[in-house]
Amino acid sequence: DGGITQSPKYLFRKEGQNVTLSCEQNLNHDAMYWYRQDPGQGLRLIYYSQIVNDFQKGDIAEGYSVSREKKESFPLTVTSAQKNPTAFYLCASSTPGTGGGDEQYFGPGTRLTVT
Amino acid sequence: GENVEQHPSTLSVQEGDSAVIKCTYSDSASNYFPWYKQELGKRPQLIIDIRSNVGEKKDQRIAVTLNKTAKHFSLHITETQPEDSAVYFCAASRRYSTLTFGKGTMLLVSP
C-alpha cells in the first residue's frame, strides 16, 4: 500500500468552492477507486475506474466528478453540488487476484473540511 | 446488489482473550471476502482474505472462516494484544466487481 499516495492530508475549503483531491499509484494497477468514510458508515464507493479513460459511478456519486487520463492518476473533484462534503476520502487501487476478487490497497486518505 | 452486515459494532475484550467478528452477505455469487484493519486516522490495511473455494484460512493469530451455504464469514483473533485495537471491516465481492464493505467493528483490547 506504500505505492499509493494522496495529497493533501488535510484540506480546508469554504462552502461553494470546488476542490480536487489527488491520488497517484505506482503499483501498475489497472483499477482505481474513491471511497468516502463517515463515522459509523463504513466505506462508501463514490467512483471507480477499471481502465484508463473509463470510469463508473459508485453508490454515492452525486456531487463528485473524476477523470482517468493516466493509469497512475485518478483525481476526485468535490463540487459545490455535494451537500455534505466534510469527510475522510480514501483512494484505492487493485490487482486481480487468482480465483476471483480484486485485492484492494488504500492510500493514506485526505480529510476534507468544508465550512 | 450486494449487502454486507457486520456484527458487533463494538467489541471489548481483555488482553489474551479471543475476539470474533461476524459478517453476512446477500449475493450468493460473491466469491472474495477480505478483512481490513484500520487504526485511528490511518488507511485500512488488508490483513487476511478468503476465496470461496476454501472454508478456512489462517495467518498466525488471525483466521477467517467462510460458510457459503449460510452466506456468512467470520474473523477470529486469538491471544489479543492492545495493538489489535482498531476498527475492522469485512467486505465481499463477486468476480470482476467492486467490494461492498460492512460498517465496521471497533475492537478494544484492554491490558
Side-chain angles (χ1 to χ4, degrees):
Chain A
D1 56 44
I4 305 175
T5 58
Q6 290 184 243
S7 61
K9 188 172 183 179
Y10 299 97
L11 191 53
F12 298 89
R13 280 294 183 269
K14 294 289 187 185
E15 197 173 315
Q17 294 179 332
N18 291 354
V19 59
T20 297
L21 282 58
S22 167
C23 177
E24 304 277 332
Q25 55 98 0
N26 61 4
L27 301 169
N28 200 34
H29 288 172
D30 287 316
M32 297 185 73
Y33 311 81
W34 273 105
Y35 293 91
R36 171 182 171 135
Q37 188 172 32
D38 297 283
Q41 292 292 321
L43 297 164
R44 293 186 289 169
L45 183 64
I46 304 173
Y47 268 98
Y48 64 102
S49 167
Q50 294 179 314
I51 198 167
V52 174
N53 293 321
D54 189 41
F55 49 82
Q56 286 79 38
K57 293 181 179 180
D59 300 318
I60 55 166
E62 186 175 349
Y64 299 97
S65 65
V66 294
S67 62
R68 187 85 187 279
E69 297 176 1
K70 298 187 298 182
K71 187 175 185 177
E72 304 78 23
S73 178
F74 191 40
L76 173 75
T77 297
V78 184
T79 74
S80 57
Q82 168 52 231
K83 297 279 186 270
N84 186 19
T86 295
F88 188 48
Y89 290 88
L90 286 159
C91 178
S93 67
S94 70
T95 181
T98 56
D102 293 353
E103 300 171 9
Q104 286 191 25
Y105 298 92
F106 286 86
T110 292
R111 190 167 297 279
L112 173 65
T113 302
V114 177
T115 57
Chain B
E2 176 68 279
N3 182 50
V4 176
E5 300 281 341
Q6 183 172 347
H7 299 281
S9 56
T10 59
L11 179 60
S12 294
V13 300
Q14 292 289 317
E15 183 177 359
D17 289 349
S18 294
V20 180
I21 302 170
K22 299 181 179 181
C23 290
T24 60
Y25 61 99
S26 60
D27 185 353
S28 57
S30 287
N31 62 356
Y32 177 60
F33 308 93
W35 286 89
Y36 287 85
K37 174 184 180 182
Q38 186 179 28
E39 296 176 358
L40 189 63
K42 300 284 182 66
R43 73 186 82 190
Q45 296 202 305
L46 180 66
I47 56 170
I48 195 167
D49 57 13
I50 192 167
R51 301 179 193 277
S52 59
N53 56 343
V54 298
E56 184 174 0
K57 185 176 179 181
K58 210 172 178 183
D59 183 2
Q60 299 182 337
R61 295 187 297 108
I62 61 173
V64 56
T65 58
L66 172 64
N67 183 328
K68 286 180 61 181
T69 303
K71 289 191 282 189
H72 67 70
F73 57 111
S74 300
L75 178 71
H76 305 253
I77 306 174
T78 59
E79 300 171 23
T80 54
Q81 302 166 2
E83 50 265 39
D84 293 329
S85 296
V87 178
Y88 291 81
F89 293 97
C90 64
S93 75
R94 55 165 70 190
R95 194 179 186 98
Y96 305 126
S97 186
T98 59
L99 287 172
T100 299
F101 286 85
K103 293 192 174 182
T105 296
M106 180 177 290
L107 174 64
L108 301 171
V109 181
S110 304

PDB file of all heavy atoms in Angstrom, chain A residues 59-95:
ATOM      1  N   ASP A  59     -21.879   4.116  -5.453  1.00  0.00           N
ATOM      2  CA  ASP A  59     -23.156   4.248  -4.750  1.00  0.00           C
ATOM      3  C   ASP A  59     -23.541   5.686  -4.409  1.00  0.00           C
ATOM      4  O   ASP A  59     -24.713   5.988  -4.216  1.00  0.00           O
ATOM      5  CB  ASP A  59     -23.111   3.428  -3.460  1.00  0.00           C
ATOM      6  CG  ASP A  59     -22.858   1.958  -3.731  1.00  0.00           C
ATOM      7  OD1 ASP A  59     -23.450   1.427  -4.692  1.00  0.00           O
ATOM      8  OD2 ASP A  59     -22.066   1.341  -2.993  1.00  0.00           O
ATOM      9  N   ILE A  60     -22.536   6.572  -4.297  1.00  0.00           N
ATOM     10  CA  ILE A  60     -22.818   7.937  -3.848  1.00  0.00           C
ATOM     11  C   ILE A  60     -22.104   8.956  -4.728  1.00  0.00           C
ATOM     12  O   ILE A  60     -21.411   9.839  -4.262  1.00  0.00           O
ATOM     13  CB  ILE A  60     -22.426   8.129  -2.365  1.00  0.00           C
ATOM     14  CG1 ILE A  60     -20.952   7.751  -2.133  1.00  0.00           C
ATOM     15  CG2 ILE A  60     -23.320   7.317  -1.448  1.00  0.00           C
ATOM     16  CD1 ILE A  60     -20.414   8.245  -0.787  1.00  0.00           C
ATOM     17  N   ALA A  61     -22.284   8.884  -6.050  1.00  0.00           N
ATOM     18  CA  ALA A  61     -21.531   9.715  -6.993  1.00  0.00           C
ATOM     19  C   ALA A  61     -22.035  11.158  -7.092  1.00  0.00           C
ATOM     20  O   ALA A  61     -21.306  12.028  -7.589  1.00  0.00           O
ATOM     21  CB  ALA A  61     -21.562   9.071  -8.369  1.00  0.00           C
ATOM     22  N   GLU A  62     -23.227  11.446  -6.641  1.00  0.00           N
ATOM     23  CA  GLU A  62     -23.789  12.787  -6.815  1.00  0.00           C
ATOM     24  C   GLU A  62     -22.932  13.846  -6.136  1.00  0.00           C
ATOM     25  O   GLU A  62     -22.600  13.737  -4.953  1.00  0.00           O
ATOM     26  CB  GLU A  62     -25.211  12.846  -6.260  1.00  0.00           C
ATOM     27  CG  GLU A  62     -25.906  14.169  -6.535  1.00  0.00           C
ATOM     28  CD  GLU A  62     -27.355  14.166  -6.078  1.00  0.00           C
ATOM     29  OE1 GLU A  62     -27.884  13.097  -5.746  1.00  0.00           O
ATOM     30  OE2 GLU A  62     -27.962  15.257  -6.065  1.00  0.00           O
ATOM     31  N   GLY A  63     -22.588  14.892  -6.899  1.00  0.00           N
ATOM     32  CA  GLY A  63     -21.788  15.972  -6.348  1.00  0.00           C
ATOM     33  C   GLY A  63     -20.285  15.763  -6.484  1.00  0.00           C
ATOM     34  O   GLY A  63     -19.503  16.585  -6.015  1.00  0.00           O
ATOM     35  N   TYR A  64     -19.889  14.674  -7.129  1.00  0.00           N
ATOM     36  CA  TYR A  64     -18.483  14.369  -7.341  1.00  0.00           C
ATOM     37  C   TYR A  64     -18.206  14.163  -8.834  1.00  0.00           C
ATOM     38  O   TYR A  64     -19.112  13.822  -9.597  1.00  0.00           O
ATOM     39  CB  TYR A  64     -18.088  13.082  -6.605  1.00  0.00           C
ATOM     40  CG  TYR A  64     -18.265  13.110  -5.111  1.00  0.00           C
ATOM     41  CD1 TYR A  64     -19.409  12.571  -4.522  1.00  0.00           C
ATOM     42  CD2 TYR A  64     -17.293  13.659  -4.290  1.00  0.00           C
ATOM     43  CE1 TYR A  64     -19.578  12.592  -3.144  1.00  0.00           C
ATOM     44  CE2 TYR A  64     -17.450  13.674  -2.915  1.00  0.00           C
ATOM     45  CZ  TYR A  64     -18.601  13.135  -2.354  1.00  0.00           C
ATOM     46  OH  TYR A  64     -18.754  13.157  -0.988  1.00  0.00           O
ATOM     47  N   SER A  65     -16.949  14.362  -9.235  1.00  0.00           N
ATOM     48  CA  SER A  65     -16.543  14.024 -10.596  1.00  0.00           C
ATOM     49  C   SER A  65     -15.113  13.499 -10.564  1.00  0.00           C
ATOM     50  O   SER A  65     -14.358  13.785  -9.627  1.00  0.00           O
ATOM     51  CB  SER A  65     -16.644  15.232 -11.534  1.00  0.00           C
ATOM     52  OG  SER A  65     -15.733  16.236 -11.164  1.00  0.00           O
ATOM     53  N   VAL A  66     -14.756  12.700 -11.571  1.00  0.00           N
ATOM     54  CA  VAL A  66     -13.420  12.117 -11.646  1.00  0.00           C
ATOM     55  C   VAL A  66     -12.931  12.167 -13.093  1.00  0.00           C
ATOM     56  O   VAL A  66     -13.691  12.435 -14.028  1.00  0.00           O
ATOM     57  CB  VAL A  66     -13.393  10.648 -11.163  1.00  0.00           C
ATOM     58  CG1 VAL A  66     -13.700  10.546  -9.683  1.00  0.00           C
ATOM     59  CG2 VAL A  66     -14.346   9.792 -11.988  1.00  0.00           C
ATOM     60  N   SER A  67     -11.639  11.881 -13.247  1.00  0.00           N
ATOM     61  CA  SER A  67     -11.057  11.690 -14.563  1.00  0.00           C
ATOM     62  C   SER A  67     -10.008  10.596 -14.444  1.00  0.00           C
ATOM     63  O   SER A  67      -9.473  10.347 -13.356  1.00  0.00           O
ATOM     64  CB  SER A  67     -10.437  12.978 -15.099  1.00  0.00           C
ATOM     65  OG  SER A  67      -9.377  13.404 -14.266  1.00  0.00           O
ATOM     66  N   ARG A  68      -9.699   9.944 -15.550  1.00  0.00           N
ATOM     67  CA  ARG A  68      -8.665   8.904 -15.555  1.00  0.00           C
ATOM     68  C   ARG A  68      -7.909   8.997 -16.875  1.00  0.00           C
ATOM     69  O   ARG A  68      -8.055   8.176 -17.765  1.00  0.00           O
ATOM     70  CB  ARG A  68      -9.302   7.512 -15.385  1.00  0.00           C
ATOM     71  CG  ARG A  68      -8.258   6.419 -15.204  1.00  0.00           C
ATOM     72  CD  ARG A  68      -7.792   6.237 -13.824  1.00  0.00           C
ATOM     73  NE  ARG A  68      -6.698   5.324 -13.657  1.00  0.00           N
ATOM     74  CZ  ARG A  68      -6.807   3.979 -13.599  1.00  0.00           C
ATOM     75  NH1 ARG A  68      -7.999   3.416 -13.743  1.00  0.00           N
ATOM     76  NH2 ARG A  68      -5.752   3.241 -13.416  1.00  0.00           N
ATOM     77  N   GLU A  69      -7.083  10.007 -16.963  1.00  0.00           N
ATOM     78  CA  GLU A  69      -6.316  10.252 -18.188  1.00  0.00           C
ATOM     79  C   GLU A  69      -5.022   9.451 -18.213  1.00  0.00           C
ATOM     80  O   GLU A  69      -4.452   9.209 -19.279  1.00  0.00           O
ATOM     81  CB  GLU A  69      -6.041  11.748 -18.333  1.00  0.00           C
ATOM     82  CG  GLU A  69      -7.315  12.574 -18.481  1.00  0.00           C
ATOM     83  CD  GLU A  69      -7.021  14.069 -18.531  1.00  0.00           C
ATOM     84  OE1 GLU A  69      -5.840  14.451 -18.461  1.00  0.00           O
ATOM     85  OE2 GLU A  69      -7.990  14.848 -18.634  1.00  0.00           O
ATOM     86  N   LYS A  70      -4.543   9.066 -17.051  1.00  0.00           N
ATOM     87  CA  LYS A  70      -3.318   8.266 -16.944  1.00  0.00           C
ATOM     88  C   LYS A  70      -3.573   7.083 -16.019  1.00  0.00           C
ATOM     89  O   LYS A  70      -4.366   7.184 -15.083  1.00  0.00           O
ATOM     90  CB  LYS A  70      -2.173   9.104 -16.384  1.00  0.00           C
ATOM     91  CG  LYS A  70      -1.779  10.291 -17.215  1.00  0.00           C
ATOM     92  CD  LYS A  70      -0.523  10.956 -16.648  1.00  0.00           C
ATOM     93  CE  LYS A  70      -0.748  11.477 -15.249  1.00  0.00           C
ATOM     94  NZ  LYS A  70       0.461  12.160 -14.712  1.00  0.00           N
ATOM     95  N   LYS A  71      -2.865   6.006 -16.249  1.00  0.00           N
ATOM     96  CA  LYS A  71      -3.041   4.819 -15.419  1.00  0.00           C
ATOM     97  C   LYS A  71      -2.709   5.102 -13.964  1.00  0.00           C
ATOM     98  O   LYS A  71      -3.316   4.552 -13.051  1.00  0.00           O
ATOM     99  CB  LYS A  71      -2.142   3.699 -15.951  1.00  0.00           C
ATOM    100  CG  LYS A  71      -2.343   2.355 -15.292  1.00  0.00           C
ATOM    101  CD  LYS A  71      -1.496   1.294 -15.976  1.00  0.00           C
ATOM    102  CE  LYS A  71      -1.776  -0.079 -15.401  1.00  0.00           C
ATOM    103  NZ  LYS A  71      -1.012  -1.134 -16.122  1.00  0.00           N
ATOM    104  N   GLU A  72      -1.736   5.978 -13.733  1.00  0.00           N
ATOM    105  CA  GLU A  72      -1.235   6.213 -12.388  1.00  0.00           C
ATOM    106  C   GLU A  72      -2.083   7.175 -11.571  1.00  0.00           C
ATOM    107  O   GLU A  72      -1.907   7.274 -10.367  1.00  0.00           O
ATOM    108  CB  GLU A  72       0.191   6.796 -12.452  1.00  0.00           C
ATOM    109  CG  GLU A  72       1.198   5.969 -13.225  1.00  0.00           C
ATOM    110  CD  GLU A  72       1.076   6.107 -14.725  1.00  0.00           C
ATOM    111  OE1 GLU A  72       0.529   7.129 -15.199  1.00  0.00           O
ATOM    112  OE2 GLU A  72       1.511   5.184 -15.451  1.00  0.00           O
ATOM    113  N   SER A  73      -2.997   7.908 -12.210  1.00  0.00           N
ATOM    114  CA  SER A  73      -3.648   9.018 -11.537  1.00  0.00           C
ATOM    115  C   SER A  73      -5.169   8.957 -11.651  1.00  0.00           C
ATOM    116  O   SER A  73      -5.712   8.667 -12.720  1.00  0.00           O
ATOM    117  CB  SER A  73      -3.129  10.326 -12.155  1.00  0.00           C
ATOM    118  OG  SER A  73      -3.760  11.436 -11.565  1.00  0.00           O
ATOM    119  N   PHE A  74      -5.849   9.274 -10.543  1.00  0.00           N
ATOM    120  CA  PHE A  74      -7.314   9.219 -10.519  1.00  0.00           C
ATOM    121  C   PHE A  74      -7.816  10.331  -9.592  1.00  0.00           C
ATOM    122  O   PHE A  74      -8.247  10.081  -8.469  1.00  0.00           O
ATOM    123  CB  PHE A  74      -7.761   7.842 -10.026  1.00  0.00           C
ATOM    124  CG  PHE A  74      -9.228   7.548 -10.191  1.00  0.00           C
ATOM    125  CD1 PHE A  74      -9.937   7.940 -11.325  1.00  0.00           C
ATOM    126  CD2 PHE A  74      -9.911   6.836  -9.204  1.00  0.00           C
ATOM    127  CE1 PHE A  74     -11.279   7.644 -11.479  1.00  0.00           C
ATOM    128  CE2 PHE A  74     -11.270   6.533  -9.348  1.00  0.00           C
ATOM    129  CZ  PHE A  74     -11.939   6.935 -10.473  1.00  0.00           C
ATOM    130  N   PRO A  75      -7.772  11.587 -10.034  1.00  0.00           N
ATOM    131  CA  PRO A  75      -8.193  12.694  -9.168  1.00  0.00           C
ATOM    132  C   PRO A  75      -9.716  12.759  -8.991  1.00  0.00           C
ATOM    133  O   PRO A  75     -10.467  12.440  -9.913  1.00  0.00           O
ATOM    134  CB  PRO A  75      -7.670  13.932  -9.906  1.00  0.00           C
ATOM    135  CG  PRO A  75      -7.567  13.504 -11.331  1.00  0.00           C
ATOM    136  CD  PRO A  75      -7.234  12.048 -11.320  1.00  0.00           C
ATOM    137  N   LEU A  76     -10.112  13.184  -7.808  1.00  0.00           N
ATOM    138  CA  LEU A  76     -11.525  13.338  -7.459  1.00  0.00           C
ATOM    139  C   LEU A  76     -11.826  14.809  -7.210  1.00  0.00           C
ATOM    140  O   LEU A  76     -11.125  15.453  -6.426  1.00  0.00           O
ATOM    141  CB  LEU A  76     -11.843  12.539  -6.190  1.00  0.00           C
ATOM    142  CG  LEU A  76     -13.241  12.723  -5.594  1.00  0.00           C
ATOM    143  CD1 LEU A  76     -14.283  11.997  -6.426  1.00  0.00           C
ATOM    144  CD2 LEU A  76     -13.279  12.240  -4.140  1.00  0.00           C
ATOM    145  N   THR A  77     -12.845  15.347  -7.864  1.00  0.00           N
ATOM    146  CA  THR A  77     -13.291  16.711  -7.616  1.00  0.00           C
ATOM    147  C   THR A  77     -14.588  16.680  -6.821  1.00  0.00           C
ATOM    148  O   THR A  77     -15.552  16.025  -7.225  1.00  0.00           O
ATOM    149  CB  THR A  77     -13.491  17.489  -8.930  1.00  0.00           C
ATOM    150  OG1 THR A  77     -12.229  17.595  -9.597  1.00  0.00           O
ATOM    151  CG2 THR A  77     -14.023  18.891  -8.659  1.00  0.00           C
ATOM    152  N   VAL A  78     -14.558  17.364  -5.698  1.00  0.00           N
ATOM    153  CA  VAL A  78     -15.751  17.525  -4.874  1.00  0.00           C
ATOM    154  C   VAL A  78     -16.363  18.858  -5.275  1.00  0.00           C
ATOM    155  O   VAL A  78     -15.753  19.919  -5.079  1.00  0.00           O
ATOM    156  CB  VAL A  78     -15.397  17.510  -3.374  1.00  0.00           C
ATOM    157  CG1 VAL A  78     -16.666  17.574  -2.532  1.00  0.00           C
ATOM    158  CG2 VAL A  78     -14.584  16.263  -3.030  1.00  0.00           C
ATOM    159  N   THR A  79     -17.531  18.828  -5.868  1.00  0.00           N
ATOM    160  CA  THR A  79     -18.121  20.053  -6.385  1.00  0.00           C
ATOM    161  C   THR A  79     -19.009  20.720  -5.340  1.00  0.00           C
ATOM    162  O   THR A  79     -19.349  20.119  -4.305  1.00  0.00           O
ATOM    163  CB  THR A  79     -18.945  19.780  -7.649  1.00  0.00           C
ATOM    164  OG1 THR A  79     -20.176  19.141  -7.272  1.00  0.00           O
ATOM    165  CG2 THR A  79     -18.188  18.895  -8.627  1.00  0.00           C
ATOM    166  N   SER A  80     -19.408  21.927  -5.654  1.00  0.00           N
ATOM    167  CA  SER A  80     -20.282  22.670  -4.737  1.00  0.00           C
ATOM    168  C   SER A  80     -21.671  22.031  -4.651  1.00  0.00           C
ATOM    169  O   SER A  80     -22.455  22.357  -3.766  1.00  0.00           O
ATOM    170  CB  SER A  80     -20.394  24.124  -5.186  1.00  0.00           C
ATOM    171  OG  SER A  80     -20.865  24.190  -6.517  1.00  0.00           O
ATOM    172  N   ALA A  81     -21.973  21.108  -5.553  1.00  0.00           N
ATOM    173  CA  ALA A  81     -23.266  20.422  -5.518  1.00  0.00           C
ATOM    174  C   ALA A  81     -23.330  19.323  -4.460  1.00  0.00           C
ATOM    175  O   ALA A  81     -24.420  18.831  -4.133  1.00  0.00           O
ATOM    176  CB  ALA A  81     -23.565  19.809  -6.890  1.00  0.00           C
ATOM    177  N   GLN A  82     -22.187  18.963  -3.902  1.00  0.00           N
ATOM    178  CA  GLN A  82     -22.170  17.931  -2.854  1.00  0.00           C
ATOM    179  C   GLN A  82     -22.677  18.562  -1.565  1.00  0.00           C
ATOM    180  O   GLN A  82     -22.049  19.487  -1.032  1.00  0.00           O
ATOM    181  CB  GLN A  82     -20.767  17.359  -2.692  1.00  0.00           C
ATOM    182  CG  GLN A  82     -20.529  16.496  -1.462  1.00  0.00           C
ATOM    183  CD  GLN A  82     -21.536  15.375  -1.271  1.00  0.00           C
ATOM    184  OE1 GLN A  82     -22.110  15.221  -0.201  1.00  0.00           O
ATOM    185  NE2 GLN A  82     -21.756  14.592  -2.296  1.00  0.00           N
ATOM    186  N   LYS A  83     -23.767  18.041  -1.044  1.00  0.00           N
ATOM    187  CA  LYS A  83     -24.464  18.681   0.080  1.00  0.00           C
ATOM    188  C   LYS A  83     -23.678  18.636   1.382  1.00  0.00           C
ATOM    189  O   LYS A  83     -23.767  19.548   2.204  1.00  0.00           O
ATOM    190  CB  LYS A  83     -25.820  17.996   0.275  1.00  0.00           C
ATOM    191  CG  LYS A  83     -26.764  18.126  -0.898  1.00  0.00           C
ATOM    192  CD  LYS A  83     -27.475  19.461  -0.884  1.00  0.00           C
ATOM    193  CE  LYS A  83     -28.516  19.537  -1.974  1.00  0.00           C
ATOM    194  NZ  LYS A  83     -27.961  20.064  -3.214  1.00  0.00           N
ATOM    195  N   ASN A  84     -22.960  17.583   1.618  1.00  0.00           N
ATOM    196  CA  ASN A  84     -22.262  17.419   2.887  1.00  0.00           C
ATOM    197  C   ASN A  84     -20.863  16.867   2.612  1.00  0.00           C
ATOM    198  O   ASN A  84     -20.606  15.685   2.832  1.00  0.00           O
ATOM    199  CB  ASN A  84     -23.058  16.474   3.798  1.00  0.00           C
ATOM    200  CG  ASN A  84     -22.446  16.376   5.178  1.00  0.00           C
ATOM    201  OD1 ASN A  84     -21.664  17.234   5.586  1.00  0.00           O
ATOM    202  ND2 ASN A  84     -22.781  15.319   5.889  1.00  0.00           N
ATOM    203  N   PRO A  85     -19.954  17.698   2.143  1.00  0.00           N
ATOM    204  CA  PRO A  85     -18.665  17.193   1.664  1.00  0.00           C
ATOM    205  C   PRO A  85     -17.632  16.876   2.740  1.00  0.00           C
ATOM    206  O   PRO A  85     -16.646  16.194   2.451  1.00  0.00           O
ATOM    207  CB  PRO A  85     -18.158  18.324   0.770  1.00  0.00           C
ATOM    208  CG  PRO A  85     -18.791  19.541   1.347  1.00  0.00           C
ATOM    209  CD  PRO A  85     -20.126  19.123   1.853  1.00  0.00           C
ATOM    210  N   THR A  86     -17.844  17.339   3.947  1.00  0.00           N
ATOM    211  CA  THR A  86     -16.862  17.105   5.008  1.00  0.00           C
ATOM    212  C   THR A  86     -16.804  15.612   5.315  1.00  0.00           C
ATOM    213  O   THR A  86     -17.806  15.011   5.712  1.00  0.00           O
ATOM    214  CB  THR A  86     -17.236  17.892   6.267  1.00  0.00           C
ATOM    215  OG1 THR A  86     -17.140  19.291   5.978  1.00  0.00           O
ATOM    216  CG2 THR A  86     -16.303  17.545   7.419  1.00  0.00           C
ATOM    217  N   ALA A  87     -15.627  15.001   5.119  1.00  0.00           N
ATOM    218  CA  ALA A  87     -15.463  13.560   5.311  1.00  0.00           C
ATOM    219  C   ALA A  87     -13.995  13.199   5.119  1.00  0.00           C
ATOM    220  O   ALA A  87     -13.166  14.036   4.754  1.00  0.00           O
ATOM    221  CB  ALA A  87     -16.317  12.777   4.315  1.00  0.00           C
ATOM    222  N   PHE A  88     -13.707  11.928   5.359  1.00  0.00           N
ATOM    223  CA  PHE A  88     -12.386  11.348   5.107  1.00  0.00           C
ATOM    224  C   PHE A  88     -12.477  10.611   3.780  1.00  0.00           C
ATOM    225  O   PHE A  88     -13.335   9.743   3.611  1.00  0.00           O
ATOM    226  CB  PHE A  88     -12.034  10.399   6.257  1.00  0.00           C
ATOM    227  CG  PHE A  88     -10.626   9.874   6.235  1.00  0.00           C
ATOM    228  CD1 PHE A  88      -9.544  10.713   6.041  1.00  0.00           C
ATOM    229  CD2 PHE A  88     -10.378   8.527   6.457  1.00  0.00           C
ATOM    230  CE1 PHE A  88      -8.243  10.222   6.052  1.00  0.00           C
ATOM    231  CE2 PHE A  88      -9.080   8.037   6.465  1.00  0.00           C
ATOM    232  CZ  PHE A  88      -8.015   8.882   6.258  1.00  0.00           C
ATOM    233  N   TYR A  89     -11.628  10.981   2.814  1.00  0.00           N
ATOM    234  CA  TYR A  89     -11.690  10.401   1.476  1.00  0.00           C
ATOM    235  C   TYR A  89     -10.502   9.473   1.262  1.00  0.00           C
ATOM    236  O   TYR A  89      -9.349   9.847   1.459  1.00  0.00           O
ATOM    237  CB  TYR A  89     -11.693  11.500   0.412  1.00  0.00           C
ATOM    238  CG  TYR A  89     -12.987  12.289   0.411  1.00  0.00           C
ATOM    239  CD1 TYR A  89     -13.147  13.397   1.235  1.00  0.00           C
ATOM    240  CD2 TYR A  89     -14.050  11.903  -0.405  1.00  0.00           C
ATOM    241  CE1 TYR A  89     -14.336  14.101   1.246  1.00  0.00           C
ATOM    242  CE2 TYR A  89     -15.242  12.610  -0.400  1.00  0.00           C
ATOM    243  CZ  TYR A  89     -15.384  13.712   0.431  1.00  0.00           C
ATOM    244  OH  TYR A  89     -16.571  14.403   0.435  1.00  0.00           O
ATOM    245  N   LEU A  90     -10.816   8.269   0.834  1.00  0.00           N
ATOM    246  CA  LEU A  90      -9.796   7.247   0.624  1.00  0.00           C
ATOM    247  C   LEU A  90      -9.774   6.821  -0.833  1.00  0.00           C
ATOM    248  O   LEU A  90     -10.808   6.548  -1.437  1.00  0.00           O
ATOM    249  CB  LEU A  90     -10.088   6.021   1.489  1.00  0.00           C
ATOM    250  CG  LEU A  90      -9.807   6.181   2.971  1.00  0.00           C
ATOM    251  CD1 LEU A  90     -10.583   5.168   3.785  1.00  0.00           C
ATOM    252  CD2 LEU A  90      -8.304   6.033   3.245  1.00  0.00           C
ATOM    253  N   CYS A  91      -8.580   6.756  -1.383  1.00  0.00           N
ATOM    254  CA  CYS A  91      -8.366   6.245  -2.727  1.00  0.00           C
ATOM    255  C   CYS A  91      -7.793   4.837  -2.601  1.00  0.00           C
ATOM    256  O   CYS A  91      -7.069   4.539  -1.637  1.00  0.00           O
ATOM    257  CB  CYS A  91      -7.379   7.157  -3.461  1.00  0.00           C
ATOM    258  SG  CYS A  91      -6.952   6.634  -5.127  1.00  0.00           S
ATOM    259  N   ALA A  92      -8.105   3.977  -3.544  1.00  0.00           N
ATOM    260  CA  ALA A  92      -7.573   2.618  -3.539  1.00  0.00           C
ATOM    261  C   ALA A  92      -7.267   2.185  -4.958  1.00  0.00           C
ATOM    262  O   ALA A  92      -7.800   2.744  -5.928  1.00  0.00           O
ATOM    263  CB  ALA A  92      -8.567   1.645  -2.893  1.00  0.00           C
ATOM    264  N   SER A  93      -6.400   1.203  -5.067  1.00  0.00           N
ATOM    265  CA  SER A  93      -6.160   0.584  -6.371  1.00  0.00           C
ATOM    266  C   SER A  93      -6.142  -0.918  -6.171  1.00  0.00           C
ATOM    267  O   SER A  93      -5.990  -1.402  -5.038  1.00  0.00           O
ATOM    268  CB  SER A  93      -4.858   1.078  -6.995  1.00  0.00           C
ATOM    269  OG  SER A  93      -3.736   0.637  -6.256  1.00  0.00           O
ATOM    270  N   SER A  94      -6.309  -1.663  -7.247  1.00  0.00           N
ATOM    271  CA  SER A  94      -6.403  -3.107  -7.069  1.00  0.00           C
ATOM    272  C   SER A  94      -5.762  -3.855  -8.218  1.00  0.00           C
ATOM    273  O   SER A  94      -5.636  -3.366  -9.341  1.00  0.00           O
ATOM    274  CB  SER A  94      -7.863  -3.542  -6.925  1.00  0.00           C
ATOM    275  OG  SER A  94      -8.552  -3.413  -8.154  1.00  0.00           O
ATOM    276  N   THR A  95      -5.412  -5.083  -7.864  1.00  0.00           N
ATOM    277  CA  THR A  95      -4.871  -6.016  -8.829  1.00  0.00           C
ATOM    278  C   THR A  95      -5.716  -7.272  -8.810  1.00  0.00           C
ATOM    279  O   THR A  95      -6.195  -7.660  -7.735  1.00  0.00           O
ATOM    280  CB  THR A  95      -3.404  -6.345  -8.492  1.00  0.00           C
ATOM    281  OG1 THR A  95      -2.879  -7.238  -9.460  1.00  0.00           O
ATOM    282  CG2 THR A  95      -3.283  -7.007  -7.125  1.00  0.00           C
TER     283      THR A  95
END
